[in-house]
Amino acid sequence: MADTGKTAKLTLDDKTVELPVLSPTAGPDVIDIRKLYAQAGVFTYDPGYTSTASCASSITYIDGDKGELLHRGYPIDQLAEKSHFLEVCYLLLYGELPTAEELEDFESRVTHHTMIHEQMHNFFRGFRRDAHPMATMVGVVGAMSAFYHDSTDINDPWQREVASIRLIAKMPTIAAMAYKYSIGQPDIYPRNDLDYSSNFLRMCFAVPAEEYEVNPILSRAMDRILMLHADHEQNASTSTVRLASSSGANPFACIAAGIACLWGPAHGGANQACLEMLREIGTVDRIPEYIKRAKDKSDPFRLMGFGHRVYKNFDPRAKVMKQSADEVLELLGIENNETLKVAKELERIALEDEYFIEKKLYPNVDFYSGIILDAMGFPTSMFTPIFAVARTVGWVSQWKEMIADPEMKIGRPRQLYTGYTRRDYVDVENR
Ligand code: CMC
């Protein structure tokens, strides 16, 4: 981040303060307000951080107007076409694409950390048998801090590295176990001869009573879903992880906080909510009714899988996801899927509607992902856990970047207080 030499002047009553303007490598300039309170005695007010950069980061860049997403400079569509999830993990974590040897070493390290401590199986048994897999994941990932003491010291770079690999490696195992537990089936242990996505599919769908062959088409589609969700700069769950970690808390507790935040329907829970909405719409003739509801201010209904805080143009991930949905359904011989028909027609109608055009609402990554996951055989309750599996590398990369940043401080927002000013206590008999 370079100092542009420019300043922004803020005049308040008879006082003017000059604030430095910083220049990023891409995107709009940033006014540095860190000394604003000391110089002018005022705070800024920005609920939802709509105009506030909460940190400096060199991992992911989004140009919301162009609909562009870059990881370490590489466009997501190129990565989705040419790369694979673990290579993208390496890129996000270490900043560069790996050489063949570096990739082999990284894949081996991740593969050899996929098993969880055997005692953790008992921990799962404490949950209600039909618990939502996200509920189980929040608890189990937080509990990792009780099982992996040797990688909780955030001041030790080696422990940070081990914790990062453990989280990326174990998250699919934990998500699959949460699923198996919720449907009353035995856990399937990971297998080191399978790649990351195939291993995850096997842990979700195999049973000990019979052989399970991973379908390579589904494995590739899963890998692409993971890649498309891997990181998305300072979104709500990533910011949650950063804020939680800023106090010095251990990485497992902080990633559990990220999972909790991801669960909400405005964020990672949107993929589940979107497929449920498409199913509720059911047939294309009912679409206008739902479009009408989405536009009605007195109705809380929103088109799930539509709109984004940053993208005011197509979400580039949604384009790849739509293409993937077509491919997967065709390859599985279910291209006449009614839900896909509803999704495509809903997208077409919404994109021609004045309300959606004016508000720049486009399909986001979650609009088509549910259709693919459903075709693969996942229940809707597993959609958000799969998002969590994918986003773990983003959370971990952003966490590592933050801990290593010399400007890191505990996150402590200020407020615009609207409550009572000082008043005296009234004894109960006089109230
Ligand atoms: N359907 C109908 N109207 C909408 C929608 C929608 N999906 N999204 C936004 N709007 C309207 C909203 O009512 C508001 O109208 P007005 O200006 O008249 O008050 C305007 O568009 C701006 O919306 P906002 O809520 O102020 O925008 P935001 O940036 O705070 O919210 C969002 C972004 C993603 C939470 C929101 O678009 C939304 O709720 N979408 C549906 C949920 C969803 O698909 N979430 C997944 C996001 S992508 C995956 C991820 O990152 O987790």
Side-chain angles (χ1 to χ4, degrees), residues 94-113:
Y94 306 115
E96 294 296 340
L97 287 170
T99 62
E101 296 81 61
E102 285 166 341
L103 183 59
E104 198 185 322
D105 171 63
F106 179 68
E107 287 180 337
S108 159
R109 279 191 290 143
V110 171
T111 305
H112 289 92
H113 275 96

PDB file of all heavy atoms in Angstrom, residues 94-113:
ATOM      1  N   TYR A  94       0.250 -19.392   0.399  1.00  0.00           N
ATOM      2  CA  TYR A  94       1.663 -19.008   0.281  1.00  0.00           C
ATOM      3  C   TYR A  94       1.932 -17.926  -0.767  1.00  0.00           C
ATOM      4  O   TYR A  94       3.069 -17.483  -0.907  1.00  0.00           O
ATOM      5  CB  TYR A  94       2.525 -20.246  -0.015  1.00  0.00           C
ATOM      6  CG  TYR A  94       2.320 -21.358   1.004  1.00  0.00           C
ATOM      7  CD1 TYR A  94       1.758 -22.572   0.636  1.00  0.00           C
ATOM      8  CD2 TYR A  94       2.657 -21.164   2.346  1.00  0.00           C
ATOM      9  CE1 TYR A  94       1.553 -23.581   1.568  1.00  0.00           C
ATOM     10  CE2 TYR A  94       2.454 -22.172   3.278  1.00  0.00           C
ATOM     11  CZ  TYR A  94       1.895 -23.377   2.890  1.00  0.00           C
ATOM     12  OH  TYR A  94       1.686 -24.366   3.810  1.00  0.00           O
ATOM     13  N   GLY A  95       0.927 -17.533  -1.527  1.00  0.00           N
ATOM     14  CA  GLY A  95       1.081 -16.366  -2.402  1.00  0.00           C
ATOM     15  C   GLY A  95       1.473 -16.644  -3.831  1.00  0.00           C
ATOM     16  O   GLY A  95       1.345 -15.768  -4.672  1.00  0.00           O
ATOM     17  N   GLU A  96       1.981 -17.826  -4.140  1.00  0.00           N
ATOM     18  CA  GLU A  96       2.398 -18.150  -5.512  1.00  0.00           C
ATOM     19  C   GLU A  96       1.871 -19.526  -5.897  1.00  0.00           C
ATOM     20  O   GLU A  96       1.617 -20.362  -5.030  1.00  0.00           O
ATOM     21  CB  GLU A  96       3.936 -18.177  -5.612  1.00  0.00           C
ATOM     22  CG  GLU A  96       4.618 -16.845  -5.395  1.00  0.00           C
ATOM     23  CD  GLU A  96       4.291 -15.789  -6.452  1.00  0.00           C
ATOM     24  OE1 GLU A  96       3.852 -16.147  -7.566  1.00  0.00           O
ATOM     25  OE2 GLU A  96       4.475 -14.593  -6.156  1.00  0.00           O
ATOM     26  N   LEU A  97       1.760 -19.761  -7.202  1.00  0.00           N
ATOM     27  CA  LEU A  97       1.432 -21.116  -7.649  1.00  0.00           C
ATOM     28  C   LEU A  97       2.616 -22.017  -7.322  1.00  0.00           C
ATOM     29  O   LEU A  97       3.773 -21.599  -7.474  1.00  0.00           O
ATOM     30  CB  LEU A  97       1.167 -21.127  -9.159  1.00  0.00           C
ATOM     31  CG  LEU A  97      -0.159 -20.508  -9.606  1.00  0.00           C
ATOM     32  CD1 LEU A  97      -0.199 -20.341 -11.120  1.00  0.00           C
ATOM     33  CD2 LEU A  97      -1.354 -21.332  -9.131  1.00  0.00           C
ATOM     34  N   PRO A  98       2.363 -23.258  -6.887  1.00  0.00           N
ATOM     35  CA  PRO A  98       3.480 -24.127  -6.483  1.00  0.00           C
ATOM     36  C   PRO A  98       4.193 -24.747  -7.688  1.00  0.00           C
ATOM     37  O   PRO A  98       3.587 -24.927  -8.745  1.00  0.00           O
ATOM     38  CB  PRO A  98       2.782 -25.223  -5.684  1.00  0.00           C
ATOM     39  CG  PRO A  98       1.394 -25.278  -6.247  1.00  0.00           C
ATOM     40  CD  PRO A  98       1.046 -23.886  -6.682  1.00  0.00           C
ATOM     41  N   THR A  99       5.464 -25.089  -7.505  1.00  0.00           N
ATOM     42  CA  THR A  99       6.144 -25.938  -8.495  1.00  0.00           C
ATOM     43  C   THR A  99       5.578 -27.347  -8.300  1.00  0.00           C
ATOM     44  O   THR A  99       4.884 -27.625  -7.296  1.00  0.00           O
ATOM     45  CB  THR A  99       7.657 -25.984  -8.232  1.00  0.00           C
ATOM     46  OG1 THR A  99       7.860 -26.564  -6.927  1.00  0.00           O
ATOM     47  CG2 THR A  99       8.283 -24.601  -8.276  1.00  0.00           C
ATOM     48  N   ALA A 100       5.925 -28.253  -9.212  1.00  0.00           N
ATOM     49  CA  ALA A 100       5.410 -29.629  -9.102  1.00  0.00           C
ATOM     50  C   ALA A 100       5.818 -30.258  -7.764  1.00  0.00           C
ATOM     51  O   ALA A 100       5.006 -30.911  -7.097  1.00  0.00           O
ATOM     52  CB  ALA A 100       5.934 -30.461 -10.270  1.00  0.00           C
ATOM     53  N   GLU A 101       7.078 -30.010  -7.340  1.00  0.00           N
ATOM     54  CA  GLU A 101       7.547 -30.617  -6.066  1.00  0.00           C
ATOM     55  C   GLU A 101       6.828 -29.986  -4.878  1.00  0.00           C
ATOM     56  O   GLU A 101       6.449 -30.678  -3.935  1.00  0.00           O
ATOM     57  CB  GLU A 101       9.057 -30.420  -5.852  1.00  0.00           C
ATOM     58  CG  GLU A 101       9.962 -31.088  -6.856  1.00  0.00           C
ATOM     59  CD  GLU A 101      10.090 -30.270  -8.137  1.00  0.00           C
ATOM     60  OE1 GLU A 101      10.565 -29.135  -8.053  1.00  0.00           O
ATOM     61  OE2 GLU A 101       9.706 -30.756  -9.213  1.00  0.00           O
ATOM     62  N   GLU A 102       6.659 -28.671  -4.938  1.00  0.00           N
ATOM     63  CA  GLU A 102       5.972 -27.991  -3.823  1.00  0.00           C
ATOM     64  C   GLU A 102       4.533 -28.492  -3.701  1.00  0.00           C
ATOM     65  O   GLU A 102       4.027 -28.713  -2.593  1.00  0.00           O
ATOM     66  CB  GLU A 102       5.978 -26.472  -4.049  1.00  0.00           C
ATOM     67  CG  GLU A 102       7.326 -25.825  -3.795  1.00  0.00           C
ATOM     68  CD  GLU A 102       7.420 -24.394  -4.331  1.00  0.00           C
ATOM     69  OE1 GLU A 102       6.609 -23.986  -5.193  1.00  0.00           O
ATOM     70  OE2 GLU A 102       8.331 -23.682  -3.884  1.00  0.00           O
ATOM     71  N   LEU A 103       3.888 -28.697  -4.840  1.00  0.00           N
ATOM     72  CA  LEU A 103       2.502 -29.164  -4.814  1.00  0.00           C
ATOM     73  C   LEU A 103       2.424 -30.580  -4.247  1.00  0.00           C
ATOM     74  O   LEU A 103       1.562 -30.879  -3.408  1.00  0.00           O
ATOM     75  CB  LEU A 103       1.908 -29.107  -6.226  1.00  0.00           C
ATOM     76  CG  LEU A 103       0.434 -29.505  -6.343  1.00  0.00           C
ATOM     77  CD1 LEU A 103      -0.453 -28.604  -5.476  1.00  0.00           C
ATOM     78  CD2 LEU A 103      -0.036 -29.444  -7.793  1.00  0.00           C
ATOM     79  N   GLU A 104       3.350 -31.412  -4.672  1.00  0.00           N
ATOM     80  CA  GLU A 104       3.349 -32.801  -4.200  1.00  0.00           C
ATOM     81  C   GLU A 104       3.539 -32.841  -2.675  1.00  0.00           C
ATOM     82  O   GLU A 104       2.843 -33.554  -1.959  1.00  0.00           O
ATOM     83  CB  GLU A 104       4.483 -33.559  -4.893  1.00  0.00           C
ATOM     84  CG  GLU A 104       4.299 -35.055  -4.818  1.00  0.00           C
ATOM     85  CD  GLU A 104       5.505 -35.798  -5.395  1.00  0.00           C
ATOM     86  OE1 GLU A 104       6.074 -35.332  -6.402  1.00  0.00           O
ATOM     87  OE2 GLU A 104       5.871 -36.828  -4.791  1.00  0.00           O
ATOM     88  N   ASP A 105       4.461 -32.016  -2.209  1.00  0.00           N
ATOM     89  CA  ASP A 105       4.734 -31.969  -0.774  1.00  0.00           C
ATOM     90  C   ASP A 105       3.503 -31.451  -0.011  1.00  0.00           C
ATOM     91  O   ASP A 105       3.106 -32.010   1.015  1.00  0.00           O
ATOM     92  CB  ASP A 105       5.947 -31.048  -0.531  1.00  0.00           C
ATOM     93  CG  ASP A 105       6.144 -30.771   0.944  1.00  0.00           C
ATOM     94  OD1 ASP A 105       6.414 -31.742   1.671  1.00  0.00           O
ATOM     95  OD2 ASP A 105       5.995 -29.601   1.366  1.00  0.00           O
ATOM     96  N   PHE A 106       2.868 -30.408  -0.549  1.00  0.00           N
ATOM     97  CA  PHE A 106       1.690 -29.831   0.113  1.00  0.00           C
ATOM     98  C   PHE A 106       0.551 -30.845   0.152  1.00  0.00           C
ATOM     99  O   PHE A 106      -0.080 -31.063   1.194  1.00  0.00           O
ATOM    100  CB  PHE A 106       1.274 -28.549  -0.637  1.00  0.00           C
ATOM    101  CG  PHE A 106       0.068 -27.874  -0.068  1.00  0.00           C
ATOM    102  CD1 PHE A 106       0.114 -27.269   1.182  1.00  0.00           C
ATOM    103  CD2 PHE A 106      -1.131 -27.833  -0.772  1.00  0.00           C
ATOM    104  CE1 PHE A 106      -1.009 -26.639   1.713  1.00  0.00           C
ATOM    105  CE2 PHE A 106      -2.249 -27.204  -0.243  1.00  0.00           C
ATOM    106  CZ  PHE A 106      -2.188 -26.607   0.996  1.00  0.00           C
ATOM    107  N   GLU A 107       0.312 -31.499  -1.000  1.00  0.00           N
ATOM    108  CA  GLU A 107      -0.778 -32.492  -1.056  1.00  0.00           C
ATOM    109  C   GLU A 107      -0.523 -33.622  -0.067  1.00  0.00           C
ATOM    110  O   GLU A 107      -1.447 -34.093   0.599  1.00  0.00           O
ATOM    111  CB  GLU A 107      -0.902 -33.048  -2.476  1.00  0.00           C
ATOM    112  CG  GLU A 107      -1.520 -32.031  -3.417  1.00  0.00           C
ATOM    113  CD  GLU A 107      -1.678 -32.529  -4.851  1.00  0.00           C
ATOM    114  OE1 GLU A 107      -0.957 -33.459  -5.248  1.00  0.00           O
ATOM    115  OE2 GLU A 107      -2.510 -31.970  -5.568  1.00  0.00           O
ATOM    116  N   SER A 108       0.739 -34.000   0.045  1.00  0.00           N
ATOM    117  CA  SER A 108       1.067 -35.090   0.964  1.00  0.00           C
ATOM    118  C   SER A 108       0.834 -34.647   2.416  1.00  0.00           C
ATOM    119  O   SER A 108       0.285 -35.391   3.232  1.00  0.00           O
ATOM    120  CB  SER A 108       2.511 -35.507   0.702  1.00  0.00           C
ATOM    121  OG  SER A 108       3.022 -36.170   1.797  1.00  0.00           O
ATOM    122  N   ARG A 109       1.223 -33.403   2.718  1.00  0.00           N
ATOM    123  CA  ARG A 109       1.022 -32.919   4.095  1.00  0.00           C
ATOM    124  C   ARG A 109      -0.467 -32.854   4.436  1.00  0.00           C
ATOM    125  O   ARG A 109      -0.893 -33.276   5.516  1.00  0.00           O
ATOM    126  CB  ARG A 109       1.656 -31.527   4.258  1.00  0.00           C
ATOM    127  CG  ARG A 109       3.153 -31.608   4.497  1.00  0.00           C
ATOM    128  CD  ARG A 109       3.719 -30.286   4.908  1.00  0.00           C
ATOM    129  NE  ARG A 109       3.715 -29.323   3.826  1.00  0.00           N
ATOM    130  CZ  ARG A 109       3.469 -28.022   3.959  1.00  0.00           C
ATOM    131  NH1 ARG A 109       3.181 -27.526   5.140  1.00  0.00           N
ATOM    132  NH2 ARG A 109       3.513 -27.208   2.925  1.00  0.00           N
ATOM    133  N   VAL A 110      -1.273 -32.361   3.497  1.00  0.00           N
ATOM    134  CA  VAL A 110      -2.724 -32.276   3.760  1.00  0.00           C
ATOM    135  C   VAL A 110      -3.294 -33.689   3.903  1.00  0.00           C
ATOM    136  O   VAL A 110      -4.022 -33.992   4.858  1.00  0.00           O
ATOM    137  CB  VAL A 110      -3.447 -31.487   2.635  1.00  0.00           C
ATOM    138  CG1 VAL A 110      -4.962 -31.589   2.787  1.00  0.00           C
ATOM    139  CG2 VAL A 110      -3.014 -30.019   2.652  1.00  0.00           C
ATOM    140  N   THR A 111      -2.936 -34.561   2.956  1.00  0.00           N
ATOM    141  CA  THR A 111      -3.484 -35.926   2.973  1.00  0.00           C
ATOM    142  C   THR A 111      -3.170 -36.637   4.289  1.00  0.00           C
ATOM    143  O   THR A 111      -4.011 -37.357   4.830  1.00  0.00           O
ATOM    144  CB  THR A 111      -2.900 -36.742   1.794  1.00  0.00           C
ATOM    145  OG1 THR A 111      -3.170 -36.013   0.595  1.00  0.00           O
ATOM    146  CG2 THR A 111      -3.507 -38.119   1.701  1.00  0.00           C
ATOM    147  N   HIS A 112      -1.959 -36.405   4.821  1.00  0.00           N
ATOM    148  CA  HIS A 112      -1.579 -37.136   6.042  1.00  0.00           C
ATOM    149  C   HIS A 112      -2.095 -36.486   7.332  1.00  0.00           C
ATOM    150  O   HIS A 112      -1.760 -36.932   8.427  1.00  0.00           O
ATOM    151  CB  HIS A 112      -0.060 -37.361   6.077  1.00  0.00           C
ATOM    152  CG  HIS A 112       0.336 -38.381   5.055  1.00  0.00           C
ATOM    153  ND1 HIS A 112       0.710 -38.054   3.771  1.00  0.00           N
ATOM    154  CD2 HIS A 112       0.337 -39.744   5.099  1.00  0.00           C
ATOM    155  CE1 HIS A 112       0.947 -39.152   3.086  1.00  0.00           C
ATOM    156  NE2 HIS A 112       0.732 -40.193   3.866  1.00  0.00           N
ATOM    157  N   HIS A 113      -2.917 -35.474   7.188  1.00  0.00           N
ATOM    158  CA  HIS A 113      -3.555 -34.891   8.383  1.00  0.00           C
ATOM    159  C   HIS A 113      -5.075 -35.047   8.346  1.00  0.00           C
ATOM    160  O   HIS A 113      -5.785 -34.370   9.092  1.00  0.00           O
ATOM    161  CB  HIS A 113      -3.219 -33.393   8.483  1.00  0.00           C
ATOM    162  CG  HIS A 113      -1.917 -33.108   9.161  1.00  0.00           C
ATOM    163  ND1 HIS A 113      -0.749 -32.910   8.491  1.00  0.00           N
ATOM    164  CD2 HIS A 113      -1.609 -32.977  10.472  1.00  0.00           C
ATOM    165  CE1 HIS A 113       0.227 -32.649   9.341  1.00  0.00           C
ATOM    166  NE2 HIS A 113      -0.261 -32.696  10.556  1.00  0.00           N
TER     167      HIS A 113
END
